[in-house]
Amino acid sequence: MNQRVETSPPELGRLRGIALIVGLVGAALTALGAFIDARQFFFSYLIGYVLWTGVALGSLGILMVHHVAGGAWSLVIRRILEAATRTIPLMLVLFLPVALGIHQLYEWSHSEAVAASEPLQHKAPYLNVPFFLARVGIYFAIWLLLAHLLNKWSAEQDERAETREIEGRMQRLSGPGLILFFLTVTFAVFDWIMSLDPEWYSTIFGLIMATGWGMSALAFTLAIFVYLRQSEPLRAVVLPAHLHDLGKFLLMFVMLWSYLSFSQFLLMWSANLPEEIPWYLRRMSGGWQYVSLGLVLFQFAFPFLLLLSRDIKRNPRRIVSIALFLLVVRWIDAVWLIAPEAHREEYRSAFHLHWLDLAAPIGIGGLWVAFFAWQLSRRPLLPQHDSLLEKALHPAHH
């Protein structure tokens, strides 16, 4: 079962090369857009940044769930998740444009806006530039530490014949790590997305985003898993049962995201409070109402109905098509969350989809996927000495 790192699948090299070219072209177009319309550049860049940070951090969350639950079914995707978490340093570097665009993105960063708004004055101890940047440092320090330890111990597992102690170590870290993960993700999306409209707030917005990021991460992981299924050592490993389990997990994320999103909408709409309802009114007028309807259909109803089918979940082509489709819908969701704030009035925002809204996610995504593929090629695709490996490779025998 040993696999040398030098024999990484050739598919990873092809993926890395194509992604790098696409990323560089997208990054060049995005940089050009910064000179044409600086304000639009920062909003579009934030869309792409939120989308791909979600894949990296969602992978960290799923990885810790795997260690806590101790299930054999998720062992076959563990190295994909670990490689995705090793892209978090890249996302820290890519946060620089967001930091430089604070005054373009966030109303609360302007002293005159704070002076003219009583709610902003109350929130000023939290919503201010120095504390905002300090919090970003804290978030990334926690995420980087969790990812580093889990990846370090996983690499040690390949070198030892007896790894029960290492497995226990990863499990003990992942329990409190999940608590830290949800707290930091909640405050991060409060800062990066919710504060675009500093007078709006939702107590479950963090859970909605964490669930959405988990959906993004699992959809991407499933797509890579199927892409590599014809390569060693996965050629002899991937079974319909594995795809079935991953499909059920993806269905869970679809259902949970839908439940939380509808709960937030129902509570705010029924309360009809002036500090809450304008956020939804801007997304239910000016053309955005069709995007909202599309999210209901394509991020819930359509994948929900398809993923109920046992045959679809066990068919590689069909399940990967759903996964890739969900990644596209996750981009639409990021646009829906961020773009209306770029051209908003109090109760209205005209639909506006800029070419940078597509170029920036493609540029960031291409660079991210290239870095991910390089990281994935550096280690064996399967943990070498995990106690659940035999059960994961032959689920029907157990």
Side-chain angles (χ1 to χ4, degrees), residues 152-165:
K152 175 177 177 289
W153 294 336
S154 182
E156 291 178 7
Q157 194 177 40
D158 288 342
E159 302 171 0
R160 298 190 190 180
E162 177 55 50
T163 62
R164 292 280 187 175
E165 187 270 334

Side-chain angles (χ1 to χ4, degrees), residues 253-314:
F253 275 114
V254 169
M255 295 173 62
L256 183 57
W257 175 87
S258 305
Y259 171 77
L260 292 171
S261 298
F262 179 71
S263 298
Q264 177 181 267
F265 170 76
L266 182 64
L267 291 172
M268 289 190 174
W269 196 257
S270 59
N272 199 27
L273 297 177
E275 62 269 21
E276 294 178 351
I277 202 66
W279 192 88
Y280 275 108
L281 291 176
R282 287 194 291 273
R283 289 158 177 80
M284 298 178 68
S285 62
W288 286 108
Q289 67 269 29
Y290 304 113
V291 181
S292 302
L293 179 61
L295 289 175
V296 173
L297 294 176
F298 299 129
Q299 198 165 203
F300 167 59
F302 184 62
F304 173 76
L305 293 175
L306 290 178
L307 289 172
L308 287 177
S309 168
R310 180 178 184 271
D311 292 337
I312 289 178
K313 290 197 290 284
R314 299 172 77 89

Side-chain angles (χ1 to χ4, degrees), residues 125-179:
Y126 182 84
L127 290 179
N128 59 79
V129 174
F131 193 28
F132 176 89
L133 296 176
R135 290 195 302 273
V136 171
I138 294 171
Y139 305 150
F140 273 100
I142 293 173
W143 298 332
L144 288 169
L145 179 62
L146 291 171
H148 169 73
L149 291 176
L150 291 175
N151 279 278
K152 175 177 177 289
W153 294 336
S154 182
E156 291 178 7
Q157 194 177 40
D158 288 342
E159 302 171 0
R160 298 190 190 180
E162 177 55 50
T163 62
R164 292 280 187 175
E165 187 270 334
I166 294 178
E167 292 171 25
R169 201 187 306 165
M170 291 189 286
Q171 186 179 52
R172 289 191 296 272
L173 174 68
S174 296
L178 277 171
I179 298 175

Side-chain angles (χ1 to χ4, degrees), residues 11 15 35 80 84 95 201 210 263 265 274 283 327 342 360:
E11 287 85 353
L15 177 64
F35 291 99
I80 299 176
F95 186 80
Y201 61 89
S263 298
F265 170 76
R283 289 158 177 80
L327 282 175

Side-chain angles (χ1 to χ4, degrees), residues 114-366:
V114 175
S117 171
E118 185 176 351
L120 287 186
Q121 293 172 20
H122 290 300
K123 296 181 180 182
Y126 182 84
L127 290 179
N128 59 79
V129 174
F131 193 28
F132 176 89
L133 296 176
R135 290 195 302 273
V136 171
I138 294 171
Y139 305 150
F140 273 100
I142 293 173
W143 298 332
L144 288 169
L145 179 62
L146 291 171
H148 169 73
L149 291 176
L150 291 175
N151 279 278
K152 175 177 177 289
W153 294 336
S154 182
E156 291 178 7
Q157 194 177 40
D158 288 342
E159 302 171 0
R160 298 190 190 180
E162 177 55 50
T163 62
R164 292 280 187 175
E165 187 270 334
I166 294 178
E167 292 171 25
R169 201 187 306 165
M170 291 189 286
Q171 186 179 52
R172 289 191 296 272
L173 174 68
S174 296
L178 277 171
I179 298 175
L180 285 173
F181 171 80
F182 280 108
L183 285 174
T184 51
V185 165
T186 294
F187 281 98
V189 298
F190 282 179
D191 292 349
W192 302 347
I193 303 174
M194 195 164 71
S195 73
L196 290 169
D197 181 353
E199 296 188 9
W200 180 72
Y201 61 89
S202 166
T203 54
I204 62 172
F205 184 72
L207 283 176
I208 293 173
M209 290 301 301
T211 304
W213 284 0
M215 188 194 308
S216 301
L218 187 59
F220 176 81
T221 299
L222 211 162
I224 295 297
F225 184 63
V226 174
Y227 175 68
L228 296 175
R229 77 186 190 280
Q230 296 301 328
S231 304
E232 294 296 342
L234 295 185
R235 184 195 300 270
V237 170
V238 179
L239 299 173
H242 294 129
L243 299 178
H244 191 196
D245 289 336
L246 293 172
K248 290 189 290 186
F249 201 22
L250 188 59
L251 175 61
M252 182 275 293
F253 275 114
V254 169
M255 295 173 62
L256 183 57
W257 175 87
S258 305
Y259 171 77
L260 292 171
S261 298
F262 179 71
S263 298
Q264 177 181 267
F265 170 76
L266 182 64
L267 291 172
M268 289 190 174
W269 196 257
S270 59
N272 199 27
L273 297 177
E275 62 269 21
E276 294 178 351
I277 202 66
W279 192 88
Y280 275 108
L281 291 176
R282 287 194 291 273
R283 289 158 177 80
M284 298 178 68
S285 62
W288 286 108
Q289 67 269 29
Y290 304 113
V291 181
S292 302
L293 179 61
L295 289 175
V296 173
L297 294 176
F298 299 129
Q299 198 165 203
F300 167 59
F302 184 62
F304 173 76
L305 293 175
L306 290 178
L307 289 172
L308 287 177
S309 168
R310 180 178 184 271
D311 292 337
I312 289 178
K313 290 197 290 284
R314 299 172 77 89
N315 185 298
R317 291 187 177 181
R318 292 178 180 177
I319 192 68
V320 80
S321 297
I322 296 173
L324 293 174
F325 176 79
L326 278 173
L327 282 175
V328 174
V329 178
R330 291 298 303 153
W331 165 70
I332 296 174
D333 186 63
V335 172
W336 182 80
L337 288 169
I338 295 169
E341 304 304 325
H343 307 278
R344 66 180 171 95
E345 302 170 8
E346 186 177 4
Y347 296 105
R348 188 175 179 85
S349 178
F351 177 78
H352 181 82
L353 185 65
H354 198 275
W355 62 269
L356 276 171
D357 295 336
L358 184 60
I362 289 177
I364 296 173

